[in-house]
Amino acid sequence: MTPARPAFCRIESSSMPLRALKRAGVGLLLCAAGVGGSAQAAPNDTFRSWSYVYLPGGGLLSDGQRWDADPSLWTASSSAWYSEASHARSQIGFEGGQLAAKIEVSGASPVTGHVYSELVYRDQGFVCDAGSCGTAVPSSAAVTINLRQDGRFTEGSANYSVSYNLWTAGTAYSFHFAVQQGEMPLGPYGWFSTENLITGQTTQESLWTRNASGQPVLNPLFNLVWEDDDHDGVYNFSYDLAFTVATQGVDLKEQLFMSAYVYGSPGGQFFDSYNSFHSTWTPEPGVTLTGAGGRSVVGPVPEPGSWALMSAGLGVLTAIATRRRRRHA
């Protein structure tokens, strides 16, 4: 990634007034060294997980909380365990400062009903540090978002869906991937879309596209692997999607919803992507993002060119100090 330099890191003219030059020198120092270049998350991060198994004799074995339950009862993990062959579980949280999600469902006789799990994460948005707002938070720092996951499932009744959304101050990003079968032919589907929140202009890339001959093929943007090489009715999948956003200083909002279910059967059905989904953020050099919910990412060490820019900023400040001493001599 070649990061875009925040706008206030540029000196537009060598003939600007002394006051403006002084501000530019401070900005150069902050941008190049990453001093104070951080944002803090709003306190209302949300984690929720819910799992259940319909029991053979009726009734529900359940753990976690539905979306309409008291939010104070919500938990980040749940597990409804009837047996090794019939259970549902999921978990959402942070590992090494990055968002990670786990989900697994399995159903086999005597369970014949629904086996289901879902999870939700919602971060209402990053806001400026109280002591840095408008000064040290980069106005257009670049962050690369990487979404990746792998898993496996049985042909039959296993269904899965994931939706990931990210909002900056000016753009909404949306990713959706699903495996559906039963009422429709087995196959993956999904898309990645953007919406300009100012103009309303949208773009969309579908999971499937067409080649030069007009035949449907998988879109290389998603790096999707989908196969049952040994023809045993167990499919493997993985995807790896990357895109870059601009922080614009404030208000990065993130949301994840994931669900999976099967119906129990004599031969057994399952969907397994436990410890697999990751949303990884990589900021540009010198930028740090931290969140109350657990997100904590640091950009790489600035390259030599950035250190040269910092030195230029020091030179500007030195020139300002020298000029002021001469004026007051």
Side-chain angles (χ1 to χ4, degrees), residues 102-175:
K102 312 176 181 184
I103 195 164
E104 178 189 21
V105 292
S106 179
S109 297
V111 170
T112 58
H114 212 205
V115 181
Y116 178 85
S117 188
E118 70 177 32
L119 57 84
V120 171
Y121 169 68
R122 182 180 297 112
D123 174 7
Q124 294 294 346
F126 288 91
V127 296
C128 289
D129 229 305
S132 304
C133 239
T135 301
V137 178
S139 61
S140 188
V143 181
T144 298
I145 313 298
N146 181 245
L147 307 178
R148 67 184 190 278
Q149 182 180 26
D150 60 76
R152 61 194 189 102
F153 62 93
T154 49
E155 185 174 5
S157 68
N159 283 258
Y160 170 74
S161 176
V162 56
S163 293
Y164 177 88
N165 298 91
L166 183 72
W167 294 266
T168 68
T171 308
Y173 302 84
S174 178
F175 167 68

Side-chain angles (χ1 to χ4, degrees), residues 94-301:
F94 286 88
E95 297 177 357
Q98 305 284 11
L99 184 64
K102 312 176 181 184
I103 195 164
E104 178 189 21
V105 292
S106 179
S109 297
V111 170
T112 58
H114 212 205
V115 181
Y116 178 85
S117 188
E118 70 177 32
L119 57 84
V120 171
Y121 169 68
R122 182 180 297 112
D123 174 7
Q124 294 294 346
F126 288 91
V127 296
C128 289
D129 229 305
S132 304
C133 239
T135 301
V137 178
S139 61
S140 188
V143 181
T144 298
I145 313 298
N146 181 245
L147 307 178
R148 67 184 190 278
Q149 182 180 26
D150 60 76
R152 61 194 189 102
F153 62 93
T154 49
E155 185 174 5
S157 68
N159 283 258
Y160 170 74
S161 176
V162 56
S163 293
Y164 177 88
N165 298 91
L166 183 72
W167 294 266
T168 68
T171 308
Y173 302 84
S174 178
F175 167 68
H176 183 74
F177 173 77
V179 173
Q180 283 201 340
Q181 54 181 330
E183 297 181 357
M184 59 188 298
L186 170 63
Y189 77 93
W191 63 83
F192 173 70
S193 64
T194 68
E195 178 185 2
N196 187 306
L197 300 177
I198 299 172
T199 66
Q201 183 177 3
T202 62
T203 67
Q204 180 168 304
E205 290 274 358
S206 295
L207 189 65
W208 291 93
T209 186
R210 293 188 179 275
N211 60 19
S213 302
Q215 300 299 314
V217 293
L218 291 170
N219 190 331
L221 174 70
F222 300 90
N223 297 294
L224 178 67
V225 175
W226 175 275
E227 54 84 14
D228 177 16
D229 285 345
D230 50 8
H231 306 289
D232 62 352
V234 177
Y235 281 78
N236 299 288
F237 76 90
S238 66
Y239 60 80
D240 191 332
L241 170 69
F243 57 98
T244 300
V245 306
T247 64
Q248 297 173 289
V250 294
D251 212 27
L252 277 179
K253 300 182 181 181
E254 184 180 29
Q255 180 172 296
L256 174 71
F257 175 80
M258 186 179 295
S259 68
Y261 72 85
V262 299
Y263 286 92
S265 68
Q269 289 280 295
F270 70 83
F271 177 89
D272 181 8
S273 182
Y274 209 68
N275 198 26
S276 170
F277 177 90
H278 290 83
S279 165
T280 303
W281 293 13
T282 305
E284 68 176 84
V287 175
T288 299
L289 296 175
T290 59
R295 173 80 72 182
S296 179
V297 292
V298 180
V301 175

Side-chain angles (χ1 to χ4, degrees), residues 57-74:
L60 199 68
L61 175 65
S62 178
D63 185 33
Q65 299 294 327
R66 288 167 48 99
W67 63 269
D68 55 355
D70 181 354
S72 66
L73 302 177
W74 291 355

